[in-house]
Every structure is written in C-alpha cells, then in structure tokens.
Amino acid sequence: MEIIVDEGAGFCFGVERAMKMTEEVARSSQGRVVTIGPLIHNPQVIEELKKEGVEVASTDADLRDAVVIIRTHGVAPEVEQQLRQKSRSLVDATCPYVKKSHQYAELLHKEDYHTLIVGDRNHPEIKGLLGCAGERVTVINDPDEADALPHFPKLGVIIQTTYPIEKVQRIIAKLVGRTTELRVYNTICDYTSDRQTTTASIARRVQLMYVIGGRNSANTNKLVDTCRQEGVETRLIEVAGEIDERDLEDVERVGITAGASTPEIRIAEVLERLEQISAARVTH
Amino acid sequence: MEIIVDEGAGFCFGVERAMKMTEEVARSSQGRVVTIGPLIHNPQVIEELKKEGVEVASTDADLRDAVVIIRTHGVAPEVEQQLRQKSRSLVDATCPYVKKSHQYAELLHKEDYHTLIVGDRNHPEIKGLLGCAGERVTVINDPDEADALPHFPKLGVIIQTTYPIEKVQRIIAKLVGRTTELRVYNTICDYTSDRQTTTASIARRVQLMYVIGGRNSANTNKLVDTCRQEGVETRLIEVAGEIDERDLEDVERVGITAGASTPEIRIAEVLERLEQISAARVTH
C-alpha cells in the first residue's frame, strides 16, 4: 500500500507560536495560567496542556491573579481591555495574520467603508474581528448570501484566515456589480491555501484519505470538505487509534493530511499505524 | 411582425452632453471649431457636424486659432496641456464618468498601487486613462490575460466605461488570489450596463436583432456580441437603408437596440422601416 503524506501539514505558524508562548508562560509563571477558550481546537493537546497547569478559564473568578493567554483566534479590543483589567497579566498569542485582519477592519471603519466579513459568524476569529469593524458590517459565509446584499458606495472585504479561496472568488465576482468601490484584503493565510491545494492534489491520487485533527476544528473540517469534493472516501480522525483496518482492505494508495492545530506527533502516529498495516499485508 | 425596441437606447448621458456642448460652440464661436478625433463613433453624425462647421483636426496647424473640443473619451493630462497651448481655447467634453476614472487612476498612482486597466489598449478612452496612471500599470482586455499576471502587494483596478460586467467578474475572481490588497473601481457606466442587460433580454425573445450604430463604435460592437451570445441572428446597421427585407421573411418577432453614439432619429427611422415591412406583409 502506498502512503502519501502532506509534508506541510500540522501546526501552522500561528499555532506553533501560541504553543511556544504558552509553554514558556507555563514554565516561568508562579501563579495560575488560563486560556480564553481552548488554546487550539485539538482535545488531545488541551489535555496535555492541563497536565502542565494550563486551564481553560470558565468564569471571571478564574482570571483573578492569573496569567491570561489570548489564543490564536484573537478577541475583540473591548474584550482584551476587560481581560487586562480582570487578570494579573495578559499574554496575547493572537495569530499575527489575525491581528492584520483586525488592523484592516479598523482601517475600513475609519475610511467609511461598509465592511463585509466572509466567514463563520460563530467562529471565535470572526467574533473578535467584529469587535474591530464598527457598526457598518455584514458577515456572510456562503456565495449565495452575496446575492441578497444591497448596493454599497464603498465596500471593504476581509476574509476568515482559513476560508477556501474558491468560495471567495465566487463571492467577489458577485460583489463587483454591487458597489462603486470594492476593496478586498486577501487575509487567507498562506498555510491554509497551501494546505487546501496540497490536500486536493493528494486526494485526487488516492482511494482513501485520512484528515487528522480536532472534530471541533474549522480548518480540519474544511480539509474534509476539500477531499470529499474531489470525490474521495475520507475519514476525519483525531488519533491513530481510530483507524479501522477494514476501511483499507482494497486500498492501494492512501493519503494523510492534517489541520493547523494537529501536532506532528499525531501525524507520525497515523503514518506509523498505516505502515504497520501495509507491512502486515505484504507478509500475508 | 412584433417589433421590440430598447426604449433606453440611443445617445448616452456623456454623448448627449458632448453634442450639446459642440453645437453650442459651433453656434457661438467666430473662428474655426475642431474636435480631436471624431466627436463620436458615428459617421452620419460626423457628416452632419461638418455641415455645421465642426471639423476633425488632423494636424497641429488645424489647432492654431481654433476652438478645440476634447471628445467624450477624454485625453491624457499631458495631451490636454499641449492642446491648451496650441489652440485658441479648449472645450472639454470628456464624459464625466471618464473624468472619474482619471481621478481614480491618479489616486491609485499616488497611493502606490499597481494599476490594472481592464479594456482595449487601442481605444481612446484607455489611451487617455493611461496618461493618468503613472508607470506601474498593466492593461488587459480578456479574462485569460489575468492568468499571466504576477503577484502584486496592492492592485487597483479601473474598468473601461463600456466594458461588459460579466467579463469583469471573471477577471476580478482571478485577481483575488494574486494580491494582498485589491481595490476595484466599478467604472462601468450605468447606461452601458443597462443597455447590455436590456439588449440581452430582448435578444432572448426575438428571432432577429438589429443593433444600430457606427461600425467603428466599441460599445455598439459589444452589443452585437451580447446578442450573438444569446444565440440570436444579429445585424449591425448604421442606417435604416441597410435593412434587407429578405432577412425578415420568416421572422415573427424582431428586436432593436442601439449604441451610445446613435442619434434617436436613426432608431426612429429603423423602427419606421420595420413597421412598413410589417404592414406590407399584413396587406398581402
């Protein structure tokens, strides 16, 4: 059995950076360390962090006298302000790409654009971004929603960093006729677009695809969508233990990719498990 | 035979304005009156203007002591400067929508964008616009040309006022992934987009379409393309005399539209001719 691995998969730049910052704080800090929401969308990593003394804050009481870590997704400026007041100290691990989106949102607001955010309004990244965008703002998550937009004199667009470029292209094409001035900040991060391209290319060459990542991770789920759009049988797994050998019975080529919050060790474990299965098959 | 006329067809706002300005100048001016290139892309109108004493300048000598009229398409600022020096006085009949494009080009240049002009580089409007856009500028006329563009940090787009929106949408979709910041000025004039929509809608309901306008008129030719894309038999005519009765033999519904530089009288003449043919058919 041939195994094709997306060599670029695993922690993205922003997650890697947040993990390092958090581990550094956990090591050096005397008091409690808490994160605002799970640091990354990967339950196994969250469990490991708990062992290092990093907890997810659930009430305001958890913040008092604690070092508070803002995760990669970022928070609204108002929320940051509140966290600063309620905590001992604040460590901002917001992904620099997300910070850039915040700056664009503030700029569009200042320059009197109506802001269109393309992404999932329930995702923490978009919630934080909304806090920078002022009142004249609309969120859409699907090209069809663009059809219902009115005409805007000046329309500025910011995109969720993990959003698929193909869907953005369809949305932008629809916007051209609905505004006199359109400004688009392509805030999709390179990691995300590379992952989608590479994953699609692997998916086209295999009979079964494993996407490793948290079931609660948006970008992992988008990779699953990408594979299925290529028409390939796809399994979302968090750990190697979830691999069902029967799925591989008639498979000659299998692919592996992973979300931005999946540690390399999880990918290595899946690769190892598939190699075992492949080797056992040769022996028989 | 049913005849469907695009009631909005004929002189656009800019052409109407330029015609009025020119006739006013021809009436009031003592000396010679010349235009830079034919005032509009309609040979019959140019002939009529000649009778009123308005000539097309062909050499610098024609400018001396003359009132010089800049036509709707506009000219580059440098050319305007030269005309001012070489003539007795200058009348600027540039379409206000084209003037707006000039302002956008200057703004993009000032704000360090690479400027992409979408349109025909040989059309006078684009030649004039290029004179406002500085050095960092590219002209493309077809969606396929967008594929060859490199990545730009900041890309600003200006569109020929008579360009079809559908082609712009395809171009813009391709640009989203090729730049970090994309700014699009939708400089397609309302008259043009209304004309294209209405013409397409009429074309779908008839068996034969007459598009009235100058053979040298870009927007008239684009209307012909629009009709043919709808799969309807189409004739470009400048005057009613060109109608060939045999084309109408099996036609039950015929459509009429016209370019932005076609006088209403030309449309009325075509309508009259078609009504005659229709009436003759009933009598037989």
Side-chain angles (χ1 to χ4, degrees):
Chain A
M1 186 169 65
E2 193 183 340
I3 307 166
I4 306 175
V5 185
D6 176 357
E7 298 292 346
F11 281 177
C12 67
F13 163 71
V15 166
E16 181 98 45
R17 179 175 169 276
M19 283 295 291
K20 275 192 186 141
M21 287 170 84
T22 304
E23 281 160 2
E24 178 60 30
V25 169
R27 245 196 316 276
S28 63
S29 177
Q30 306 297 322
R32 278 176 318 111
V33 179
V34 298
T35 60
I36 304 303
L39 184 71
I40 59 175
H41 282 152
N42 187 291
Q44 289 72 36
V45 172
I46 299 305
E47 278 307 307
E48 286 159 22
L49 283 172
K50 208 180 258 180
K51 286 177 203 152
E52 297 176 42
V54 180
E55 300 270 350
V56 179
S58 53
T59 67
D60 269 14
D62 295 337
L63 306 176
R64 212 167 303 138
D65 301 320
V67 179
V68 171
I69 297 169
I70 297 177
R71 58 186 173 173
T72 52
H73 307 120
V75 295
E78 205 183 294
V79 174
E80 184 179 332
Q81 191 61 26
Q82 289 168 2
L83 291 174
R84 209 173 283 284
Q85 287 164 358
K86 290 175 182 169
S87 66
R88 181 154 66 90
S89 72
L90 196 65
V91 173
D92 187 358
T94 304
C95 170
Y97 292 128
V98 174
K99 274 284 181 204
K100 200 89 195 159
S101 293
H102 285 202
Q103 287 165 13
Y104 292 142
E106 281 159 9
L107 188 72
L108 290 174
H109 177 51
K110 212 180 78 188
E111 295 192 4
D112 289 327
Y113 285 78
H114 186 95
T115 299
L116 183 76
I117 296 177
V118 175
D120 174 5
R121 77 190 67 234
N122 296 314
H123 191 281
E125 178 184 329
I126 302 307
K127 286 183 185 168
L129 190 55
L130 278 166
C132 309
E135 298 299 312
R136 297 184 306 277
V137 62
T138 309
V139 182
I140 67 169
N141 197 17
D142 193 89
D144 290 343
E145 291 177 72
D147 295 327
L149 294 171
H151 184 276
F152 296 105
K154 290 168 77 177
L155 185 64
V157 180
I158 302 175
I159 311 157
Q160 188 169 350
T161 51
T162 52
Y163 204 83
I165 183 78
E166 292 77 9
K167 278 169 85 176
V168 173
Q169 290 175 316
R170 283 161 58 203
I171 290 170
I172 300 303
K174 291 182 185 209
L175 297 180
V176 178
R178 288 171 194 275
T179 177
T180 308
E181 184 184 335
L182 176 66
R183 198 188 289 191
V184 184
Y185 290 107
N186 180 3
T187 46
I188 299 173
C189 84
D190 288 346
Y191 174 91
T192 299
S193 44
D194 285 355
R195 211 73 303 104
Q196 280 165 356
T197 315
T198 309
T199 296
S201 142
I202 294 177
R204 281 192 289 274
R205 290 148 59 203
V206 300
Q207 292 142 288
L208 180 65
M209 213 42 210
Y210 285 104
V211 180
I212 316 165
R215 293 203 158 71
N216 58 342
S217 153
N219 79 81
T220 302
N221 280 289
K222 278 173 192 155
L223 289 176
V224 171
D225 290 346
T226 301
C227 294
R228 294 198 172 137
Q229 269 161 30
E230 294 296 338
V232 71
E233 192 67 31
T234 306
R235 300 277 178 278
L236 167 56
I237 56 173
E238 293 187 346
V239 292
E242 292 178 59
I243 293 174
D244 184 341
E245 228 173 302
R246 288 167 300 180
D247 286 343
L248 290 154
E249 259 168 21
D250 295 319
V251 170
E252 308 225 329
R253 266 200 301 275
V254 61
I256 304 177
T257 190
S261 43
T262 304
E264 276 194 38
I265 178 75
R266 291 290 103 76
I267 305 175
E269 286 164 358
V270 168
L271 178 58
E272 203 189 328
R273 179 76 190 107
L274 290 175
E275 279 170 346
Q276 281 172 354
I277 294 170
S278 179
R281 198 192 283 182
V282 174
T283 327
H284 278 84
Chain B
M1 186 168 66
E2 192 184 340
I3 307 167
I4 306 175
V5 185
D6 176 357
E7 297 293 345
F11 281 176
C12 66
F13 162 71
V15 166
E16 181 97 47
R17 179 175 168 276
M19 283 296 292
K20 275 192 186 142
M21 287 170 83
T22 304
E23 281 160 3
E24 178 59 32
V25 168
R27 245 195 318 275
S28 63
S29 177
Q30 307 295 326
R32 277 176 319 112
V33 179
V34 298
T35 60
I36 304 303
L39 184 70
I40 59 174
H41 282 153
N42 187 290
Q44 290 72 36
V45 171
I46 299 305
E47 276 308 307
E48 285 159 24
L49 282 172
K50 206 179 258 178
K51 285 176 204 153
E52 297 176 43
V54 180
E55 300 269 350
V56 179
S58 52
T59 66
D60 269 13
D62 294 337
L63 306 177
R64 213 167 302 139
D65 302 320
V67 180
V68 172
I69 297 169
I70 297 177
R71 58 185 171 171
T72 52
H73 307 121
V75 294
E78 205 184 292
V79 174
E80 184 179 333
Q81 192 59 27
Q82 289 167 2
L83 291 174
R84 209 173 283 283
Q85 287 165 358
K86 290 174 182 169
S87 67
R88 182 154 65 90
S89 71
L90 195 65
V91 174
D92 187 358
T94 304
C95 169
Y97 292 129
V98 174
K99 274 284 182 205
K100 200 90 196 158
S101 294
H102 286 201
Q103 287 165 13
Y104 291 142
E106 281 159 9
L107 187 74
L108 290 174
H109 177 50
K110 213 180 78 186
E111 295 193 3
D112 290 327
Y113 284 77
H114 186 95
T115 299
L116 183 76
I117 296 176
V118 176
D120 174 5
R121 76 191 67 234
N122 297 315
H123 191 280
E125 179 184 329
I126 302 306
K127 285 182 185 167
L129 190 55
L130 276 167
C132 308
E135 299 298 314
R136 295 184 308 277
V137 63
T138 309
V139 182
I140 67 169
N141 198 16
D142 193 88
D144 289 343
E145 290 178 72
D147 295 328
L149 294 173
H151 184 275
F152 296 105
K154 290 168 76 178
L155 185 63
V157 180
I158 301 175
I159 310 158
Q160 189 168 350
T161 52
T162 53
Y163 204 82
I165 182 78
E166 292 76 11
K167 278 169 84 176
V168 174
Q169 289 176 315
R170 282 162 57 205
I171 290 170
I172 300 302
K174 290 181 185 211
L175 297 180
V176 178
R178 288 171 194 274
T179 176
T180 308
E181 184 183 333
L182 175 68
R183 198 187 289 191
V184 184
Y185 290 106
N186 181 1
T187 46
I188 299 174
C189 84
D190 288 346
Y191 175 91
T192 299
S193 44
D194 285 355
R195 213 70 305 101
Q196 280 164 356
T197 315
T198 309
T199 296
S201 142
I202 294 177
R204 281 192 290 271
R205 290 147 59 201
V206 301
Q207 292 143 287
L208 180 65
M209 216 38 215
Y210 285 105
V211 180
I212 316 165
R215 293 201 159 71
N216 57 343
S217 153
N219 79 81
T220 303
N221 280 290
K222 278 173 194 157
L223 289 177
V224 172
D225 289 345
T226 300
C227 295
R228 293 196 172 140
Q229 268 160 30
E230 295 295 338
V232 70
E233 191 67 32
T234 306
R235 300 277 178 279
L236 168 56
I237 56 174
E238 292 187 348
V239 292
E242 292 178 58
I243 292 174
D244 185 341
E245 227 173 304
R246 288 168 299 181
D247 287 341
L248 290 155
E249 258 167 25
D250 296 319
V251 170
E252 308 226 328
R253 268 200 300 275
V254 62
I256 303 177
T257 190
S261 45
T262 305
E264 276 193 39
I265 177 78
R266 292 289 103 76
I267 305 174
E269 287 164 0
V270 168
L271 178 59
E272 204 188 327
R273 179 79 191 103
L274 289 175
E275 279 171 345
Q276 281 172 354
I277 293 170
S278 179
R281 199 191 281 184
V282 174
T283 328
H284 279 84

